[in-house]
Amino acid sequence: MSSTTPEETAPYGDGTAPGPAPIKRVRTHHLRELKQRGERFSMLTSYDQLTAQIFDEAGIEVLLVGDSASNNVLGNATSLPVTVDELIPLTRAVSRSVTRALVVGDLPFGSYQASPEQGYLTAARFMKEGGAHCVKLEGGVEMVPQIERMTRGGIPVMAHIGFTPQSEHALGGYRVQGRGEAAERVLRDALAVQEAGAFAVVMEMVPGDVAAEVTAKLEIPTIGIGAGNQCDGQVLVWQDAFGLRTGRMPRFVKQYADLRSVLLDAARAYDTEVKDGSFPAAEHTF
Ligand code: KIV
């Protein structure tokens, strides 16, 4: 039996301040606190139960049920065609499957741009029917009325500026935004969405030095995708990051795995064994 008590072994602590408590359930205010402490966080897309569980277990703070489901799950060429009714069941699958991550519902093209009222009603559906903890919308200065309406109505909003895929045709294709004099526009958009009440802002395809300046000027966290490494967080589409999708990738994507090859090999092995009669074997048979 030990004769010393914990007080005797460390009567005055070890001289360091106690660290912040671990985050049990990520809330929007935690992202701001991480920024204030200079700690980075990660975000991935997820559109289904099993990836949501895996990414949550891995410690990814934010899961985005992106409108990129359109061209990663639903077979479309771009994110434009996906509808609210298609995205809500995916959002519900993800929100039901996490225990820690913050789940972001992505408002699809045409579901919020018409008016603040339209935006509020769509966002409310993502929260009520999809179980999202917050929503994301694309746009800067022009989205201020929508962001104000949603936040006033109790819906936390993540903004998305720089290259905004829903405006691909208006922006003249996939292009870096904010080069040269256009840097001012990115900063103006970032300050406007912060002022309107957004709790975080995604910056897509923005030069690294511009994103760094915006990150330093904002109180809310920035989340980069093709915006260098000075943002407070980073986001990638999971099929890009883990190699389920292959082929030409934007320069900002890093592939951490080659899931396509793993699945292709497994599917071929299964196909061979079914056809040569070696599956199912005795141990798979009742
Ligand atoms: O829908 C999506 O996947 C996104 C990310 C690229 C930020 O908006």
Side-chain angles (χ1 to χ4, degrees):
M1 201 175 87
S2 165
S3 59
T4 54
T5 65
E7 285 74 19
E8 283 168 335
T9 51
Y12 307 112
D14 63 2
T16 57
I23 301 173
K24 288 208 182 91
R25 173 124 230 166
V26 181
R27 306 279 184 180
T28 57
H29 68 87
H30 288 126
L31 304 185
R32 195 169 179 140
E33 287 159 19
L34 289 170
K35 176 181 178 113
Q36 285 162 353
R37 296 204 295 271
E39 291 176 37
R40 295 185 177 171
F41 58 88
S42 52
M43 169 161 144
L44 279 174
T45 61
S46 174
Y47 320 94
D48 70 289
Q49 174 184 352
L50 295 182
T51 61
Q53 288 171 355
I54 294 167
F55 301 159
D56 197 38
E57 186 180 331
I60 307 298
E61 277 80 13
V62 188
L63 295 188
L64 169 67
V65 189
D67 61 354
S68 50
S70 181
N71 49 314
N72 285 280
V73 177
L74 298 172
N76 298 312
T78 71
S79 62
L80 290 190
V82 75
T83 66
V84 172
D85 288 338
E86 286 171 325
L87 281 182
I88 282 184
L90 308 186
T91 310
R92 194 162 53 230
V94 171
S95 63
R96 278 179 180 156
S97 305
V98 300
T99 58
R100 178 175 180 271
L102 182 79
V103 176
V104 187
D106 206 8
L107 306 183
F109 180 59
S111 72
Y112 58 95
Q113 287 92 345
S115 68
E117 217 47 33
Q118 184 208 24
Y120 183 79
L121 294 173
T122 305
R125 283 195 64 195
F126 274 84
M127 307 287 283
K128 283 166 75 98
E129 299 171 42
H133 306 142
C134 53
V135 298
K136 178 169 84 58
L137 54 71
E138 295 186 6
V141 171
E142 73 283 10
M143 279 299 129
V144 162
Q146 274 81 344
I147 297 171
E148 286 174 344
R149 176 70 187 91
M150 289 176 203
T151 50
R152 210 169 53 243
I155 300 177
V157 180
M158 177 182 284
H160 182 158
I161 62 172
F163 177 71
T164 45
Q166 292 176 13
S167 308
E168 175 194 338
H169 298 294
L171 294 172
Y174 273 70
R175 294 156 171 242
V176 174
Q177 305 291 310
R179 283 206 169 115
E181 287 175 9
E184 270 308 306
R185 163 96 209 252
V186 176
L187 182 58
R188 219 172 33 245
D189 281 339
L191 290 169
V193 299
Q194 169 173 278
E195 182 64 24
F199 72 87
V201 58
V202 170
M203 275 191 282
E204 181 162 352
M205 287 173 63
V206 169
D209 57 338
V210 176
E213 187 191 343
V214 171
T215 300
K217 291 207 162 122
L218 287 194
E219 283 167 26
I220 60 172
T222 60
I223 303 166
I225 174 163
N229 73 355
Q230 293 304 303
C231 294
D232 301 300
Q234 295 290 330
V235 58
L236 285 175
V237 171
W238 84 257
Q239 289 89 340
D240 296 347
F242 305 144
L244 193 58
R245 176 187 290 283
T246 51
R248 211 167 145 255
M249 285 287 150
R251 174 170 158 189
F252 57 75
V253 172
K254 177 172 176 183
Q255 287 202 322
Y256 289 83
D258 182 3
L259 291 187
R260 188 173 191 281
S261 297
V262 172
L263 276 180
L264 190 59
D265 290 349
R268 283 185 173 142
Y270 168 73
D271 179 62
T272 302
E273 292 195 4
V274 167
K275 288 174 181 163
D276 70 14
S278 57
F279 177 82
E283 68 266 31
H284 309 118
T285 307
F286 295 108

